[in-house]
Amino acid sequence: MPETKQNAESDPSADRFLTRPSLIQKASSGKSSPAWDELHRFYEPFVSMVLSRMGFRGEDLADVSQQVFVKLWKGLESYESRETSRFRSWFSSIIRNTAVDWLRVHRKGPDQLSLDEPGAMETFNLGDPSGVEQQIEEEWRSYIVDTAMERIREVFTGNAFEVFARSLEGQTAEEISDALNVRIDSVYVLRSRVKGRLQREIQELRHDLEFADE
């Protein structure tokens, strides 16, 4: 039966994130450049995705994204309002306000942000802060799951990941068994194993990239 490249069940480091500081906590101390670099590596694709859905493209997108991270870097160390403001709410406001400020300076409206390019989507109403926050929250949840999926894709050998992917597409255990020539009891075992690993990856990503009260 296909196994993981590393047996997560017996891995002594599997739960180490429960006691170690998160990346965001280390980065917010202002003393760890490696932590900030890693935090930036995880968040940069997400910020770019959100800004692109606001209509930003090319150099405009790169410029606004850079400004978002400058504000995040400057604000992390002094971020102390967790009791009244969740981190993602605060970060969402940084993204929105940076986008709005950029548009005001450059005097561009949504219809001037190259929305004629293929795939461009005008899904964010920048005049609705609460709506923007909700949309960014939804995008973040999807991003975490997608990132976790990419991580576990590299972990499993054989048919394990394919079994799980097909189950997510709605295929029954019998259909997966026939398609992959895998015993049906193995389908159930592999599906459960990959699902469990995915849940742990999501938990670890959330630990690294969010504050504890998120």
Side-chain angles (χ1 to χ4, degrees), residues 85-104:
S85 176
R86 297 165 67 248
F87 173 76
R88 282 199 307 282
S89 298
W90 176 72
F91 190 40
S92 296
S93 70
I94 288 180
I95 297 174
R96 175 191 172 275
N97 293 340
T98 302
V100 169
D101 290 345
W102 191 95
L103 290 172
R104 286 172 178 164

Side-chain angles (χ1 to χ4, degrees), residues 33-208:
S33 179
W36 167 257
D37 291 342
E38 191 170 358
L39 188 70
H40 182 274
R41 178 171 64 84
F42 275 114
Y43 266 107
E44 194 279 331
F46 172 71
V47 171
S48 293
M49 177 184 66
V50 169
L51 291 175
S52 70
R53 296 199 175 194
M54 291 179 178
F56 291 94
R57 297 290 184 271
E59 293 182 359
D60 293 347
L61 189 152
D63 185 22
V64 179
S65 179
Q66 182 179 32
Q67 291 182 32
V68 166
F69 281 102
V70 168
K71 292 180 180 180
L72 178 62
W73 169 256
K74 291 180 177 178
L76 264 181
E77 189 171 358
S78 60
Y79 176 71
E80 299 175 349
S81 56
R82 295 179 220 171
E83 292 185 2
T84 57
S85 176
R86 297 165 67 248
F87 173 76
R88 282 199 307 282
S89 298
W90 176 72
F91 190 40
S92 296
S93 70
I94 288 180
I95 297 174
R96 175 191 172 275
N97 293 340
T98 302
V100 169
D101 290 345
W102 191 95
L103 290 172
R104 286 172 178 164
V105 170
H106 294 81
R107 297 178 180 174
K108 289 187 177 183
D111 59 332
Q112 297 173 284
L113 290 175
S114 303
L115 289 175
D116 57 329
E117 295 185 18
M121 293 179 289
E122 190 178 357
T123 59
F124 284 79
N125 178 3
L126 294 178
D128 178 14
S130 62
V132 170
E133 180 183 331
Q134 181 177 352
Q135 286 175 289
I136 291 178
E137 174 78 13
E138 293 171 357
E139 295 289 351
W140 177 249
R141 289 175 183 156
S142 296
Y143 179 70
I144 285 288
V145 172
D146 290 345
T147 302
M149 286 286 285
E150 288 303 312
R151 287 172 62 163
I152 66 170
R153 186 190 297 272
E154 303 301 319
V155 171
F156 288 91
T157 60
N159 288 318
F161 187 85
E162 182 67 15
V163 164
F164 184 67
R166 286 173 178 264
S167 71
L168 291 180
E169 294 171 358
Q171 293 188 23
T172 65
E174 291 80 5
E175 290 171 335
I176 296 172
S177 176
D178 291 341
L180 300 179
N181 194 27
V182 176
R183 290 172 47 183
I184 194 165
D185 58 335
S186 295
V187 170
Y188 289 117
V189 170
L190 293 174
R191 186 173 62 185
S192 177
R193 182 176 298 164
V194 178
K195 180 180 179 180
R197 182 58 182 261
L198 176 64
Q199 291 171 334
R200 288 194 294 274
E201 291 292 342
I202 290 172
Q203 186 179 12
E204 183 162 1
L205 281 168
R206 291 197 62 189
H207 171 272
D208 280 341

